Amino acid sequence: MIASEFKRRRRQLMRMMEPNSIAILPTAPVARRNRDVDYAYRPDSDFYYLTGFPEPEAVAILIPGRKQAEYILFCRERHPEREQWDGARAGQEGAVRIYGADDSFPIGDLNEILPRMLEQCARVYYAMGCNPELDKQISEWVSQIRTQSRAGVTGPLEFIALDHYLHDMRLYKSRSEIKAIRQAARISAQGHRRVMGACRPGLHEWRLEAEFVHECAMRGARHQAYPPIVGGGANACVLHYIDNRDELRDGELLLIDAGCEHDYYASDITRTIPISGTFSEPQRQLYELVLKAQEAAIAKVSPGSHWDAPHQAAVRVITRGLIELGLLKGSLASALKRESYKRFYMHRTGHWLGMDVHDVGDYKIDGAWRELEPGMVLTIEPGIYIPAGSKGVARKWWDIGIRIEDDVLVTKEGREVLTTDAPKGVREIESLMGGARRPGRG
Ligand code: GLY
Ligand code: MN
Ligand code: MN
C-alpha cells in the first residue's frame, strides 16, 4: 500500500470529524507467548489502516485544522543497541519522512504532551474499551483538565466512538485493498489445491496444515489470517477445531478452513474433500446440497441486495434438501418457520472480510439489514454438520461435516468470486485428488 493511500484515509477521516476535535488511536500491544518469547507482532488493523506504521508502541493523533501539525505520531525512539538485536526503528525522523506524520514525539512523552493537546479540544474521537491502559490514562487526563476549569481550561466535553467512523470506511475497499485481498485469496487457493493433492488416509491433520502453510509461505504469505481448521471425520463437525492432531481415516471427509494474510489483508477459504479421493454416496449427496446452497447464496450477492439475502437463500436450499434426504420432517414452509435446519446448520452464511478475517462494519443500519454495495467483500460459507449419535438420524450420515467457503467482492455488475482457483465441484475435486488412494505417495 503506498503512502498516499494512508494519507487519503486520514484526510477522509479528518473531513468527517467535528471542528475542534482530536482523534486518538493506539496500535496493538506486543503479545507474550511464553517467558521471553513474543508472538509475531501484528499492528492493530484500525491503526495500520490510517498510518501504515508497522512498529509496536505507537499512538496516532489527528487534530484537523491544527496549524503546527494535524497528524502526530508518537513512537519509539531510535536505539542503536536495541536495533542491533531487534531490527530498525523509524524513530521520530522516520515517522515524518517515511510515514508522512507532520510531527512525531517519543512514545515516552505521551503523558506529558497528549494532555496539553486534549486541553485544546472539545471533542475526543476514541475507541473506548479496546485498550484499558490508555482508557484509564485518558479518563485521568480529562478529569484533571476538568479540575482546572476555573483557570479557564475547558477541555473535552464529548467523547465520540472513533471505531464507528473508521469501520464504515474500512467496509468499502479501495482498488489497492481489493488487490491485496485478491492476492491473499489466490495464494490460499493454491494452498487448498496443494492439500487436495497431498491428502490420503493415514496422514495426520497437521501434515495437511503444514502443506497449506508451506504453500502460502513459499508464495510470500508468512502469516495465516487465523489458525487453520483441519478436521477429518468427527472433527469436521466441530466448527472451530484447531487441534489438527488426529489421523485421517479412509472413507471420511476432511474439512479444511484456512486462509493466509497478505499485506495485512485476509483470505478465508473452506473446502471439504473425501480423504480417499472419492466421495461416498451419502457424502456426495450432502456435499452437493451444500454446494447448491452456496451457489444460491453467491447469486444473491449484488448491489441492492441486503446482507441477509444470501443467508436466506442458503437456508432455503439446505432446508429443502434436508427434507428431501429425510433428515428433516414436514413441509418446507413449516421447517423454515421452526428453523429446524439449525440443528445441522447452526452458523450464519458469512461475514465481512478485509484486514481482519471477521472484518469490521455494521451488518444492520437502524435495525434493517445493510444493503450490499460495490467494494464490499464478504464470505459465503454455508455448511451441514451431523455428529455421530445424532438422534433420529440414520448412521450413514454420521460424522459428516461439510462447509464450502468463498470470498466474494460486490461489484457494480454483481459479484466476483475471488477464490475460484480452489476447486469445489465434486468432479474437479475427485480428479485433482485422483492419486489420493495410491499407497506410498508423499
Ligand atoms: N475461518 C473463520 C470463518 O470462516 O469464519
Ligand atoms: Mn469465514
Ligand atoms: Mn473460514
Short mmCIF file of all heavy atoms in Angstrom, two decimals, residues 310-368:
data_model
loop_
_atom_site.label_atom_id
_atom_site.label_comp_id
_atom_site.label_asym_id
_atom_site.label_seq_id
_atom_site.Cartn_x
_atom_site.Cartn_y
_atom_site.Cartn_z
N PRO A 310 -28.26 -13.51 1.02
CA PRO A 310 -27.53 -14.76 0.76
C PRO A 310 -27.83 -15.84 1.82
O PRO A 310 -28.00 -17.02 1.49
CB PRO A 310 -26.06 -14.34 0.80
CG PRO A 310 -26.08 -12.88 0.47
CD PRO A 310 -27.34 -12.35 1.08
N HIS A 311 -27.91 -15.42 3.08
CA HIS A 311 -28.18 -16.39 4.16
C HIS A 311 -29.56 -17.02 3.96
O HIS A 311 -29.71 -18.25 4.05
CB HIS A 311 -28.09 -15.69 5.51
CG HIS A 311 -28.34 -16.60 6.68
ND1 HIS A 311 -27.52 -17.67 6.97
CD2 HIS A 311 -29.33 -16.62 7.62
CE1 HIS A 311 -27.99 -18.30 8.05
NE2 HIS A 311 -29.09 -17.69 8.46
N GLN A 312 -30.54 -16.18 3.67
CA GLN A 312 -31.89 -16.73 3.47
C GLN A 312 -31.91 -17.71 2.31
O GLN A 312 -32.56 -18.76 2.39
CB GLN A 312 -32.87 -15.59 3.21
CG GLN A 312 -33.22 -14.82 4.48
CD GLN A 312 -34.11 -13.62 4.19
OE1 GLN A 312 -34.56 -13.41 3.06
NE2 GLN A 312 -34.34 -12.82 5.21
N ALA A 313 -31.18 -17.39 1.24
CA ALA A 313 -31.14 -18.28 0.08
C ALA A 313 -30.52 -19.62 0.46
O ALA A 313 -31.02 -20.70 0.10
CB ALA A 313 -30.37 -17.63 -1.06
N ALA A 314 -29.43 -19.56 1.21
CA ALA A 314 -28.74 -20.80 1.62
C ALA A 314 -29.64 -21.64 2.53
O ALA A 314 -29.75 -22.87 2.36
CB ALA A 314 -27.43 -20.46 2.33
N VAL A 315 -30.27 -20.98 3.47
CA VAL A 315 -31.14 -21.69 4.42
C VAL A 315 -32.28 -22.40 3.69
O VAL A 315 -32.64 -23.55 4.00
CB VAL A 315 -31.70 -20.69 5.46
CG1 VAL A 315 -32.94 -21.22 6.14
CG2 VAL A 315 -30.62 -20.36 6.49
N ARG A 316 -32.81 -21.74 2.71
CA ARG A 316 -33.93 -22.30 1.94
C ARG A 316 -33.51 -23.57 1.20
O ARG A 316 -34.16 -24.61 1.28
CB ARG A 316 -34.40 -21.23 0.95
CG ARG A 316 -35.80 -21.38 0.53
CD ARG A 316 -36.27 -20.23 -0.34
NE ARG A 316 -37.58 -20.60 -0.84
CZ ARG A 316 -38.69 -20.46 -0.14
NH1 ARG A 316 -38.65 -19.90 1.06
NH2 ARG A 316 -39.84 -20.88 -0.63
N VAL A 317 -32.37 -23.47 0.51
CA VAL A 317 -31.88 -24.62 -0.25
C VAL A 317 -31.54 -25.78 0.70
O VAL A 317 -31.91 -26.94 0.45
CB VAL A 317 -30.65 -24.24 -1.11
CG1 VAL A 317 -30.02 -25.48 -1.74
CG2 VAL A 317 -31.04 -23.22 -2.17
N ILE A 318 -30.88 -25.47 1.79
CA ILE A 318 -30.47 -26.52 2.72
C ILE A 318 -31.70 -27.17 3.35
O ILE A 318 -31.79 -28.40 3.46
CB ILE A 318 -29.51 -25.96 3.80
CG1 ILE A 318 -28.12 -25.78 3.18
CG2 ILE A 318 -29.43 -26.87 5.03
CD1 ILE A 318 -27.08 -25.16 4.07
N THR A 319 -32.66 -26.38 3.75
CA THR A 319 -33.85 -26.94 4.39
C THR A 319 -34.59 -27.86 3.42
O THR A 319 -34.95 -28.99 3.79
CB THR A 319 -34.78 -25.81 4.89
OG1 THR A 319 -34.02 -24.93 5.73
CG2 THR A 319 -35.96 -26.35 5.67
N ARG A 320 -34.77 -27.37 2.20
CA ARG A 320 -35.49 -28.20 1.22
C ARG A 320 -34.73 -29.51 0.99
O ARG A 320 -35.30 -30.59 0.99
CB ARG A 320 -35.66 -27.45 -0.10
CG ARG A 320 -36.54 -28.23 -1.08
CD ARG A 320 -36.59 -27.60 -2.48
NE ARG A 320 -37.22 -26.29 -2.47
CZ ARG A 320 -36.65 -25.20 -2.97
NH1 ARG A 320 -35.45 -25.25 -3.49
NH2 ARG A 320 -37.31 -24.06 -2.95
N GLY A 321 -33.40 -29.42 0.82
CA GLY A 321 -32.58 -30.60 0.56
C GLY A 321 -32.61 -31.59 1.73
O GLY A 321 -32.69 -32.80 1.52
N LEU A 322 -32.57 -31.06 2.95
CA LEU A 322 -32.58 -31.96 4.12
C LEU A 322 -33.92 -32.68 4.23
O LEU A 322 -33.99 -33.83 4.66
CB LEU A 322 -32.27 -31.17 5.40
CG LEU A 322 -30.82 -30.67 5.54
CD1 LEU A 322 -30.66 -29.77 6.78
CD2 LEU A 322 -29.81 -31.83 5.61
N ILE A 323 -34.99 -32.01 3.83
CA ILE A 323 -36.31 -32.67 3.82
C ILE A 323 -36.30 -33.78 2.77
O ILE A 323 -36.70 -34.92 3.04
CB ILE A 323 -37.43 -31.66 3.54
CG1 ILE A 323 -37.57 -30.68 4.72
CG2 ILE A 323 -38.77 -32.37 3.29
CD1 ILE A 323 -38.51 -29.50 4.47
N GLU A 324 -35.78 -33.48 1.59
CA GLU A 324 -35.75 -34.49 0.51
C GLU A 324 -34.92 -35.71 0.90
O GLU A 324 -35.23 -36.83 0.53
CB GLU A 324 -35.20 -33.86 -0.78
CG GLU A 324 -36.24 -33.01 -1.51
CD GLU A 324 -35.65 -32.13 -2.60
OE1 GLU A 324 -34.45 -32.31 -2.94
OE2 GLU A 324 -36.38 -31.24 -3.08
N LEU A 325 -33.86 -35.47 1.66
CA LEU A 325 -33.00 -36.59 2.07
C LEU A 325 -33.53 -37.30 3.31
O LEU A 325 -32.92 -38.25 3.80
CB LEU A 325 -31.58 -36.09 2.32
CG LEU A 325 -30.81 -35.59 1.09
CD1 LEU A 325 -29.49 -34.94 1.50
CD2 LEU A 325 -30.55 -36.70 0.08
N GLY A 326 -34.63 -36.82 3.85
CA GLY A 326 -35.24 -37.45 5.02
C GLY A 326 -34.61 -37.03 6.34
O GLY A 326 -34.87 -37.63 7.38
N LEU A 327 -33.77 -36.01 6.31
CA LEU A 327 -33.12 -35.57 7.54
C LEU A 327 -33.96 -34.57 8.33
O LEU A 327 -33.73 -34.34 9.52
CB LEU A 327 -31.75 -34.97 7.22
CG LEU A 327 -30.68 -36.04 7.00
CD1 LEU A 327 -29.61 -35.58 6.02
CD2 LEU A 327 -30.03 -36.44 8.32
N LEU A 328 -34.89 -33.92 7.64
CA LEU A 328 -35.85 -33.04 8.33
C LEU A 328 -37.25 -33.46 7.93
O LEU A 328 -37.46 -33.99 6.83
CB LEU A 328 -35.62 -31.58 7.95
CG LEU A 328 -34.37 -30.87 8.48
CD1 LEU A 328 -34.35 -29.42 8.00
CD2 LEU A 328 -34.29 -30.92 10.00
N LYS A 329 -38.19 -33.19 8.84
CA LYS A 329 -39.57 -33.59 8.56
C LYS A 329 -40.44 -32.38 8.29
O LYS A 329 -40.08 -31.26 8.61
CB LYS A 329 -40.12 -34.35 9.76
CG LYS A 329 -39.32 -35.60 10.06
CD LYS A 329 -40.11 -36.62 10.83
CE LYS A 329 -39.34 -37.92 11.05
NZ LYS A 329 -37.91 -37.92 10.76
N GLY A 330 -41.61 -32.65 7.69
CA GLY A 330 -42.59 -31.58 7.49
C GLY A 330 -42.40 -30.86 6.17
O GLY A 330 -41.54 -31.22 5.35
N SER A 331 -43.24 -29.83 6.00
CA SER A 331 -43.18 -29.06 4.75
C SER A 331 -42.04 -28.05 4.83
O SER A 331 -41.55 -27.73 5.91
CB SER A 331 -44.50 -28.32 4.55
OG SER A 331 -44.61 -27.32 5.54
N LEU A 332 -41.66 -27.55 3.66
CA LEU A 332 -40.60 -26.53 3.62
C LEU A 332 -41.01 -25.32 4.46
O LEU A 332 -40.22 -24.83 5.27
CB LEU A 332 -40.35 -26.11 2.16
CG LEU A 332 -39.31 -25.01 1.95
CD1 LEU A 332 -37.94 -25.43 2.47
CD2 LEU A 332 -39.22 -24.62 0.48
N ALA A 333 -42.25 -24.88 4.27
CA ALA A 333 -42.71 -23.67 4.99
C ALA A 333 -42.63 -23.88 6.50
O ALA A 333 -42.11 -23.03 7.23
CB ALA A 333 -44.13 -23.32 4.56
N SER A 334 -43.08 -25.04 6.97
CA SER A 334 -43.09 -25.22 8.43
C SER A 334 -41.67 -25.43 8.95
O SER A 334 -41.32 -24.94 10.02
CB SER A 334 -44.02 -26.37 8.83
OG SER A 334 -43.41 -27.60 8.51
N ALA A 335 -40.83 -26.12 8.17
CA ALA A 335 -39.44 -26.32 8.63
C ALA A 335 -38.71 -24.98 8.69
O ALA A 335 -37.93 -24.73 9.63
CB ALA A 335 -38.71 -27.28 7.69
N LEU A 336 -38.97 -24.11 7.71
CA LEU A 336 -38.32 -22.79 7.73
C LEU A 336 -38.81 -21.99 8.93
O LEU A 336 -38.03 -21.33 9.61
CB LEU A 336 -38.63 -22.02 6.43
CG LEU A 336 -37.87 -22.48 5.18
CD1 LEU A 336 -38.41 -21.80 3.93
CD2 LEU A 336 -36.36 -22.22 5.32
N LYS A 337 -40.11 -22.10 9.18
CA LYS A 337 -40.67 -21.34 10.29
C LYS A 337 -40.10 -21.80 11.63
O LYS A 337 -39.77 -20.99 12.50
CB LYS A 337 -42.19 -21.52 10.27
CG LYS A 337 -42.92 -20.59 11.18
CD LYS A 337 -44.36 -20.36 10.74
CE LYS A 337 -45.09 -19.59 11.82
NZ LYS A 337 -46.24 -20.29 12.34
N ARG A 338 -39.96 -23.12 11.74
CA ARG A 338 -39.43 -23.67 13.00
C ARG A 338 -37.91 -23.56 13.08
O ARG A 338 -37.29 -23.90 14.08
CB ARG A 338 -39.85 -25.14 13.15
CG ARG A 338 -41.30 -25.33 13.60
CD ARG A 338 -41.64 -26.80 13.76
NE ARG A 338 -41.87 -27.44 12.46
CZ ARG A 338 -41.15 -28.45 11.97
NH1 ARG A 338 -40.15 -28.97 12.67
NH2 ARG A 338 -41.41 -28.95 10.77
N GLU A 339 -37.31 -23.18 11.99
CA GLU A 339 -35.83 -23.10 11.88
C GLU A 339 -35.18 -24.43 12.24
O GLU A 339 -34.16 -24.48 12.92
CB GLU A 339 -35.27 -21.98 12.77
CG GLU A 339 -35.81 -20.60 12.40
CD GLU A 339 -35.13 -19.50 13.21
OE1 GLU A 339 -34.80 -19.73 14.39
OE2 GLU A 339 -34.94 -18.41 12.66
N SER A 340 -35.81 -25.51 11.78
CA SER A 340 -35.30 -26.82 12.19
C SER A 340 -33.95 -27.14 11.53
O SER A 340 -33.22 -28.02 12.00
CB SER A 340 -36.33 -27.92 11.91
OG SER A 340 -36.85 -27.80 10.62
N TYR A 341 -33.59 -26.39 10.50
CA TYR A 341 -32.27 -26.57 9.87
C TYR A 341 -31.13 -26.28 10.84
O TYR A 341 -30.01 -26.75 10.68
CB TYR A 341 -32.14 -25.65 8.63
CG TYR A 341 -32.22 -24.19 8.99
CD1 TYR A 341 -31.09 -23.48 9.38
CD2 TYR A 341 -33.45 -23.51 8.99
CE1 TYR A 341 -31.18 -22.14 9.74
CE2 TYR A 341 -33.53 -22.18 9.35
CZ TYR A 341 -32.39 -21.50 9.74
OH TYR A 341 -32.48 -20.19 10.11
N LYS A 342 -31.44 -25.47 11.88
CA LYS A 342 -30.38 -25.02 12.80
C LYS A 342 -29.69 -26.17 13.51
O LYS A 342 -28.57 -26.04 13.99
CB LYS A 342 -30.93 -24.02 13.82
CG LYS A 342 -31.05 -22.62 13.25
CD LYS A 342 -31.29 -21.61 14.33
CE LYS A 342 -31.26 -20.19 13.75
NZ LYS A 342 -31.83 -19.22 14.68
N ARG A 343 -30.38 -27.30 13.56
CA ARG A 343 -29.76 -28.47 14.18
C ARG A 343 -28.53 -28.91 13.38
O ARG A 343 -27.55 -29.42 13.94
CB ARG A 343 -30.81 -29.59 14.18
CG ARG A 343 -30.31 -30.85 14.77
CD ARG A 343 -31.41 -31.86 14.90
NE ARG A 343 -30.85 -33.10 15.40
CZ ARG A 343 -31.38 -34.27 15.22
NH1 ARG A 343 -32.52 -34.39 14.56
NH2 ARG A 343 -30.80 -35.35 15.70
N PHE A 344 -28.58 -28.73 12.07
CA PHE A 344 -27.48 -29.18 11.20
C PHE A 344 -26.69 -28.01 10.60
O PHE A 344 -25.60 -28.20 10.09
CB PHE A 344 -28.04 -30.04 10.05
CG PHE A 344 -28.81 -31.23 10.52
CD1 PHE A 344 -30.18 -31.36 10.24
CD2 PHE A 344 -28.20 -32.23 11.26
CE1 PHE A 344 -30.89 -32.47 10.69
CE2 PHE A 344 -28.90 -33.33 11.71
CZ PHE A 344 -30.26 -33.45 11.42
N TYR A 345 -27.28 -26.85 10.60
CA TYR A 345 -26.61 -25.66 10.06
C TYR A 345 -26.80 -24.53 11.07
O TYR A 345 -27.78 -23.81 11.03
CB TYR A 345 -27.22 -25.29 8.69
CG TYR A 345 -26.63 -24.04 8.07
CD1 TYR A 345 -25.30 -23.70 8.32
CD2 TYR A 345 -27.37 -23.20 7.26
CE1 TYR A 345 -24.74 -22.56 7.77
CE2 TYR A 345 -26.82 -22.06 6.70
CZ TYR A 345 -25.51 -21.74 6.97
OH TYR A 345 -24.95 -20.61 6.43
N MET A 346 -25.83 -24.42 11.98
CA MET A 346 -26.03 -23.57 13.16
C MET A 346 -25.28 -22.24 13.09
O MET A 346 -25.31 -21.46 14.04
CB MET A 346 -25.65 -24.32 14.45
CG MET A 346 -24.22 -24.81 14.55
SD MET A 346 -23.81 -26.04 13.29
CE MET A 346 -24.60 -27.52 13.84
N HIS A 347 -24.62 -21.96 11.98
CA HIS A 347 -23.96 -20.65 11.90
C HIS A 347 -24.53 -19.86 10.73
O HIS A 347 -25.35 -20.35 9.97
CB HIS A 347 -22.43 -20.80 11.77
CG HIS A 347 -21.96 -21.60 10.59
ND1 HIS A 347 -21.88 -21.09 9.32
CD2 HIS A 347 -21.54 -22.89 10.49
CE1 HIS A 347 -21.41 -22.00 8.50
NE2 HIS A 347 -21.21 -23.12 9.17
N ARG A 348 -24.08 -18.62 10.63
CA ARG A 348 -24.58 -17.79 9.55
C ARG A 348 -23.76 -17.99 8.28
O ARG A 348 -22.74 -18.66 8.29
CB ARG A 348 -24.62 -16.33 9.99
CG ARG A 348 -25.72 -16.10 11.04
CD ARG A 348 -26.00 -14.63 11.23
NE ARG A 348 -26.24 -13.97 9.97
CZ ARG A 348 -27.45 -13.84 9.40
NH1 ARG A 348 -28.52 -14.31 10.01
NH2 ARG A 348 -27.58 -13.23 8.25
N THR A 349 -24.23 -17.40 7.18
CA THR A 349 -23.65 -17.74 5.89
C THR A 349 -22.39 -16.93 5.55
O THR A 349 -21.72 -17.21 4.57
CB THR A 349 -24.74 -17.61 4.80
OG1 THR A 349 -25.78 -18.54 5.14
CG2 THR A 349 -24.27 -17.95 3.41
N GLY A 350 -22.03 -15.98 6.38
CA GLY A 350 -20.79 -15.26 6.08
C GLY A 350 -20.54 -14.07 6.96
O GLY A 350 -21.24 -13.86 7.96
N HIS A 351 -19.53 -13.32 6.61
CA HIS A 351 -19.11 -12.14 7.37
C HIS A 351 -18.30 -11.25 6.45
O HIS A 351 -17.84 -11.69 5.40
CB HIS A 351 -18.27 -12.56 8.58
CG HIS A 351 -17.17 -13.55 8.25
ND1 HIS A 351 -15.96 -13.16 7.76
CD2 HIS A 351 -17.13 -14.91 8.29
CE1 HIS A 351 -15.21 -14.23 7.54
NE2 HIS A 351 -15.89 -15.32 7.84
N TRP A 352 -18.12 -9.99 6.84
CA TRP A 352 -17.25 -9.10 6.06
C TRP A 352 -15.82 -9.63 6.13
O TRP A 352 -15.42 -10.24 7.14
CB TRP A 352 -17.27 -7.67 6.61
CG TRP A 352 -18.58 -6.98 6.73
CD1 TRP A 352 -19.09 -6.39 7.84
CD2 TRP A 352 -19.56 -6.77 5.69
NE1 TRP A 352 -20.31 -5.82 7.56
CE2 TRP A 352 -20.62 -6.04 6.25
CE3 TRP A 352 -19.63 -7.12 4.33
CZ2 TRP A 352 -21.74 -5.66 5.53
CZ3 TRP A 352 -20.76 -6.74 3.61
CH2 TRP A 352 -21.78 -6.02 4.20
N LEU A 353 -15.07 -9.34 5.11
CA LEU A 353 -13.67 -9.78 5.05
C LEU A 353 -12.80 -8.58 4.67
O LEU A 353 -13.18 -7.79 3.80
CB LEU A 353 -13.55 -10.88 3.99
CG LEU A 353 -12.17 -11.51 3.80
CD1 LEU A 353 -11.84 -12.45 4.96
CD2 LEU A 353 -12.12 -12.32 2.49
N GLY A 354 -11.64 -8.48 5.32
CA GLY A 354 -10.75 -7.36 5.00
C GLY A 354 -9.45 -7.50 5.75
O GLY A 354 -8.84 -8.57 5.73
N MET A 355 -9.04 -6.44 6.47
CA MET A 355 -7.80 -6.55 7.24
C MET A 355 -7.97 -7.58 8.35
O MET A 355 -7.00 -8.22 8.75
CB MET A 355 -7.44 -5.20 7.85
CG MET A 355 -7.13 -4.16 6.80
SD MET A 355 -6.50 -2.65 7.55
CE MET A 355 -4.83 -3.17 7.92
N ASP A 356 -9.17 -7.69 8.88
CA ASP A 356 -9.47 -8.74 9.86
C ASP A 356 -10.33 -9.79 9.19
O ASP A 356 -11.17 -9.45 8.34
CB ASP A 356 -10.21 -8.14 11.06
CG ASP A 356 -9.34 -7.14 11.79
OD1 ASP A 356 -8.19 -7.49 12.14
OD2 ASP A 356 -9.79 -6.00 12.01
N VAL A 357 -10.13 -11.04 9.58
CA VAL A 357 -10.89 -12.09 8.89
C VAL A 357 -12.39 -11.91 9.12
O VAL A 357 -13.18 -12.00 8.17
CB VAL A 357 -10.38 -13.51 9.23
CG1 VAL A 357 -10.52 -13.84 10.71
CG2 VAL A 357 -11.13 -14.54 8.42
N HIS A 358 -12.78 -11.65 10.34
CA HIS A 358 -14.16 -11.23 10.60
C HIS A 358 -14.09 -9.72 10.63
O HIS A 358 -13.86 -9.11 11.67
CB HIS A 358 -14.68 -11.80 11.92
CG HIS A 358 -14.80 -13.30 11.90
ND1 HIS A 358 -14.91 -14.06 13.02
CD2 HIS A 358 -14.81 -14.17 10.88
CE1 HIS A 358 -14.99 -15.34 12.70
NE2 HIS A 358 -14.92 -15.43 11.40
N ASP A 359 -14.23 -9.13 9.49
CA ASP A 359 -13.90 -7.72 9.36
C ASP A 359 -14.97 -6.82 9.97
O ASP A 359 -16.08 -7.26 10.29
CB ASP A 359 -13.67 -7.36 7.88
CG ASP A 359 -12.70 -6.19 7.72
OD1 ASP A 359 -11.77 -6.08 8.55
OD2 ASP A 359 -12.86 -5.39 6.77
N VAL A 360 -14.61 -5.56 10.08
CA VAL A 360 -15.48 -4.58 10.74
C VAL A 360 -16.52 -4.04 9.77
O VAL A 360 -16.43 -4.21 8.57
CB VAL A 360 -14.62 -3.44 11.29
CG1 VAL A 360 -13.71 -3.93 12.41
CG2 VAL A 360 -13.78 -2.81 10.16
N GLY A 361 -17.48 -3.35 10.31
CA GLY A 361 -18.58 -2.79 9.51
C GLY A 361 -19.90 -3.30 10.07
O GLY A 361 -20.00 -4.47 10.46
N ASP A 362 -20.89 -2.42 10.11
CA ASP A 362 -22.20 -2.81 10.65
C ASP A 362 -22.94 -3.70 9.66
O ASP A 362 -22.90 -3.47 8.46
CB ASP A 362 -23.05 -1.57 10.93
CG ASP A 362 -22.50 -0.77 12.10
OD1 ASP A 362 -21.79 -1.38 12.95
OD2 ASP A 362 -22.75 0.44 12.16
N TYR A 363 -23.66 -4.67 10.20
CA TYR A 363 -24.48 -5.55 9.35
C TYR A 363 -25.91 -5.02 9.24
O TYR A 363 -26.64 -5.38 8.35
CB TYR A 363 -24.48 -6.98 9.90
CG TYR A 363 -23.13 -7.65 9.77
CD1 TYR A 363 -22.24 -7.71 10.85
CD2 TYR A 363 -22.72 -8.21 8.57
CE1 TYR A 363 -20.99 -8.31 10.72
CE2 TYR A 363 -21.47 -8.82 8.42
CZ TYR A 363 -20.62 -8.86 9.52
OH TYR A 363 -19.38 -9.44 9.38
N LYS A 364 -26.25 -4.19 10.22
CA LYS A 364 -27.59 -3.58 10.19
C LYS A 364 -27.44 -2.08 10.35
O LYS A 364 -26.52 -1.61 11.05
CB LYS A 364 -28.45 -4.11 11.36
CG LYS A 364 -29.05 -5.46 11.10
CD LYS A 364 -30.00 -5.85 12.22
CE LYS A 364 -30.78 -7.10 11.83
NZ LYS A 364 -31.65 -7.54 12.93
N ILE A 365 -28.36 -1.35 9.74
CA ILE A 365 -28.40 0.10 9.95
C ILE A 365 -29.82 0.45 10.38
O ILE A 365 -30.77 0.10 9.68
CB ILE A 365 -28.00 0.86 8.68
CG1 ILE A 365 -26.51 0.60 8.38
CG2 ILE A 365 -28.27 2.35 8.84
CD1 ILE A 365 -25.98 1.29 7.16
N ASP A 366 -29.93 1.09 11.53
CA ASP A 366 -31.25 1.41 12.10
C ASP A 366 -32.16 0.19 12.12
O ASP A 366 -33.34 0.28 11.74
CB ASP A 366 -31.91 2.55 11.31
CG ASP A 366 -31.11 3.84 11.42
OD1 ASP A 366 -30.42 4.00 12.46
OD2 ASP A 366 -31.14 4.64 10.47
N GLY A 367 -31.60 -0.94 12.48
CA GLY A 367 -32.42 -2.14 12.64
C GLY A 367 -32.70 -2.91 11.35
O GLY A 367 -33.26 -4.00 11.39
N ALA A 368 -32.28 -2.37 10.20
CA ALA A 368 -32.55 -3.08 8.93
C ALA A 368 -31.24 -3.61 8.35
O ALA A 368 -30.20 -2.96 8.47
CB ALA A 368 -33.21 -2.13 7.94
#
